[in-house]
Amino acid sequence: STKAVILVGGPSRGTRFRPLSLDVPKPLFEVAGHPIISHSLKAVAKVPGLREVILVGYYDETVFRDFIKDAGKEFPHLRIQYLREYQALGTAGGLYHFRDAILKNKPERFFVLNSDVCCSFPLGEMLKLFEEKDAEAVILGTRVSNDAATNFGCIVSDAHTKRVLHYVEKPESHISNLINCGVYLFATECIFPSIRSVIKRRATRPRLLSYPSSDNLDSSFIAEDDDAEKPEVLRLEQDILSDLADSNRFFVHETKDFWRQIKTAGSAVPANALYLQKAWQAQSDELTPPSAFIVPPVYIHPTAEVDPTAKLGPNVSVGPRAVIGAGARVKESIILEDAEIKHDACVLYSIIGWGSRVGAWARVEGTPTPAGSHSTSIIKNGVKVQSITILGKECGVGDEVRVQNCVCLPYKELKRDVTNEVIM
Ligand code: GDD
């Protein structure tokens, strides 16, 4: 059988997702009307014979309780549980720590998914390659521009056999534009022994920091990345994948479909657009039918109140109880729960936080990022600014005020025009 593990991380990792992560754990933030992790869960639920999903992270026990309860109703054939690391153990440390739970019922293989990616999750195709090649591991890869590649794990593969020849996590200089999507399929009998041998190797070659006297050492002896130096922290990417590439049974499935990382708060906007487009292609009945005022794809929660003369879309999600007034224009944006957009306001490339208010004739806008870009910052007049405007929870924008390329922390009132600022 097959299982799935979703790596949900923990509170400290979500800092780049501010200000949105101040009010909701990143994996539960809603894009295209559903929490980020429910999009991965939906894909996992379609894998034939897959009955068990384990969320691994270091958020509080209670964080995923309601989500798991709801997901259990939506996918009655799945057993979903959350296992909490006592501290951040790294992307492989958590797997190893909870190996007994993963190995229970003796699955032959299991998927591992980073929770912060937006993608079509072609898990069936990965499974097919896995079986065809009798693989130890299959990684999902995608092509990005040469500039973007070094921000990710890079894969050098044999184009013909699809075998992974080299794997380097965030290399200093260009080695390949085929990158790690953060989705894997591992043979249970291979991955745990690989992790164990890394642990053994470390034990026989102890690092400076593990000596009790390290407190007295000159600080220059202490590695910059102190996370990685904690003996319990094991990173799939740096510690395990490059070893796996030395075996002959590590393969890559290259997806031609969409893929995006959801790191910064602004990246929720392109993720929202991609998932809405996917739902549109699948002719999902959750989406609002097109009309003179609706440019698809648009998702409107059934409890939201949208004036029939407001023009929405493309790529707009409107959350529960949000109110959108007459003559408003909303495009490429996420309007969260209880937010209000007054009449004739304009919202473009933005996220409007929970309970925020945008005044009449106001203009809240970001800037479109170039297609294929994997970043949410742009250079404007020689300075790096956020391409997406984000209002945190319960912010207010006055009537006729213009907010452009700004990030606004919760509970702020904007009474004058602002551009390229972080409002704290
Ligand atoms: N449970 C748990 N414990 N999860 C973790 C931990 C941990 O200690 N650390 C990170 N994660 C989760 C994060 O929540 C995220 O979903 C995923 O693991 C990867 O996060 P990072 O470790 O921050 O890596 P990254 O996002 O910079 O890069 C990874 O993903 C890229 C694709 O999005 C790497 O796998 C890259 O190679 C890859 O290209």
Side-chain angles (χ1 to χ4, degrees):
S1 67
T2 314
K3 288 195 191 184
V5 175
I6 304 180
L7 297 171
V8 293
S12 62
R13 292 269 166 179
T15 48
R16 278 198 274 170
F17 204 65
R18 275 184 194 160
L20 303 174
S21 57
L22 295 171
D23 294 289
V24 69
K26 183 166 86 166
L28 295 179
F29 184 81
E30 297 202 351
V31 296
H34 300 280
I36 289 171
I37 38 168
S38 89
H39 295 280
S40 10
L41 197 60
K42 205 176 275 173
V44 161
K46 287 195 188 125
V47 176
L50 195 151
R51 297 257 172 285
E52 198 177 331
V53 183
I54 307 177
L55 312 181
V56 176
Y58 49 99
Y59 284 102
D60 200 79
E61 293 295 344
T62 56
V63 164
F64 297 102
R65 200 167 283 166
D66 291 346
F67 171 78
I68 289 176
K69 219 159 123 204
D70 294 346
K73 282 182 210 144
E74 194 181 345
F75 308 110
H77 68 290
L78 288 184
R79 176 177 135 80
I80 308 164
Q81 57 174 329
Y82 172 59
L83 298 178
R84 183 190 182 176
E85 294 163 28
Y86 56 95
Q87 64 172 66
L89 294 176
T91 42
L95 296 180
Y96 193 70
H97 188 71
F98 292 116
R99 61 192 178 280
D100 291 345
I102 298 171
L103 290 169
K104 202 173 156 213
N105 301 326
K106 305 196 169 51
E108 288 115 52
R109 57 206 162 214
F110 61 100
F111 285 99
V112 174
L113 284 75
N114 288 1
S115 61
D116 61 354
V117 297
C118 152
C119 132
S120 64
F121 298 109
L123 305 181
E125 289 163 47
M126 289 176 70
L127 209 52
K128 200 170 144 235
L129 181 67
F130 188 89
E131 282 174 349
E132 247 170 52
K133 302 283 186 182
D134 186 27
E136 279 181 359
V138 167
I139 186 171
L140 186 67
T142 191
R143 300 273 170 193
V144 300
S145 70
N146 288 353
D147 293 348
T150 50
N151 297 315
F152 301 102
C154 292
I155 303 162
V156 178
S157 66
D158 180 306
H160 182 65
T161 62
K162 300 183 179 171
R163 197 160 78 73
V164 176
L165 305 174
H166 297 292
Y167 179 88
V168 187
E169 182 64 18
K170 305 187 181 97
E172 302 252 329
S173 53
H174 181 81
I175 65 158
S176 162
N177 67 349
L178 181 61
I179 63 126
N180 172 8
C181 292
V183 182
Y184 319 88
L185 179 57
F186 294 119
T188 351
E189 55 168 28
C190 301
I191 187 72
F192 291 113
S194 299
I195 300 179
R196 203 168 297 125
S197 69
V198 170
I199 297 173
K200 272 209 190 112
R201 206 155 67 205
R202 279 197 187 175
T204 54
R205 271 193 284 131
R207 303 182 185 201
L208 264 180
L209 264 187
S210 58
Y211 289 110
S213 59
S214 66
D215 284 352
N216 307 327
L217 291 176
D218 184 288
S219 62
S220 62
F221 278 89
I222 297 176
E224 275 171 30
D225 189 358
D226 60 346
D227 233 24
E229 293 296 312
K230 285 186 197 140
E232 348 33 331
V233 173
L234 291 165
R235 296 162 309 171
L236 202 49
E237 299 85 349
Q238 292 88 336
D239 301 328
I240 316 290
L241 295 186
S242 20
D243 275 15
L244 272 183
D246 294 336
S247 87
N248 296 329
R249 290 164 65 203
F250 184 16
F251 296 89
V252 55
H253 174 70
E254 185 181 331
T255 178
K256 304 281 182 203
D257 230 338
F258 68 92
W259 182 86
R260 257 313 284 237
Q261 208 180 21
I262 311 175
K263 274 298 177 211
T264 60
S267 58
V269 165
N272 181 59
L274 292 167
Y275 279 139
L276 284 175
Q277 285 155 25
K278 180 176 180 236
W280 177 248
Q281 274 159 16
Q283 299 181 326
S284 159
D285 53 15
E286 265 182 16
L287 299 183
T288 311
S291 70
F293 291 93
I294 298 289
V295 187
V298 170
Y299 169 85
I300 302 174
H301 191 271
T303 61
E305 253 177 71
V306 178
D307 188 281
T309 64
K311 186 169 178 181
L312 270 57
N315 304 324
V316 168
S317 290
V318 182
R321 294 176 307 277
V323 177
I324 300 183
R329 176 72 178 106
V330 185
K331 182 175 147 174
E332 303 283 350
S333 293
I334 303 174
I335 313 297
L336 293 168
E337 222 166 297
D338 298 308
E340 184 181 1
I341 314 294
K342 293 251 170 70
H343 68 87
D344 301 296
C346 180
V347 177
L348 310 172
Y349 300 93
S350 296
I351 299 173
I352 308 299
W354 306 270
S356 286
R357 292 148 286 112
V358 174
W361 297 102
R363 210 179 150 87
V364 177
E365 63 181 321
T367 312
T369 40
S373 152
H374 283 275
S375 155
T376 51
S377 51
I378 48 163
I379 307 292
K380 241 174 106 179
N381 307 328
V383 222
K384 207 173 179 186
V385 297
Q386 264 305 307
S387 59
I388 302 298
T389 285
I390 301 159
L391 303 185
K393 186 183 184 179
E394 288 180 40
C395 287
V397 176
D399 291 351
E400 293 174 46
V401 168
R402 183 174 192 196
V403 183
Q404 218 185 354
N405 293 98
C406 287
V407 176
C408 186
L409 267 67
Y411 312 109
K412 298 288 163 201
E413 293 295 328
L414 303 178
K415 295 185 178 126
R416 54 168 182 93
D417 294 0
V418 266
T419 307
N420 305 345
E421 273 185 50
V422 176
I423 299 133
M424 320 241 253

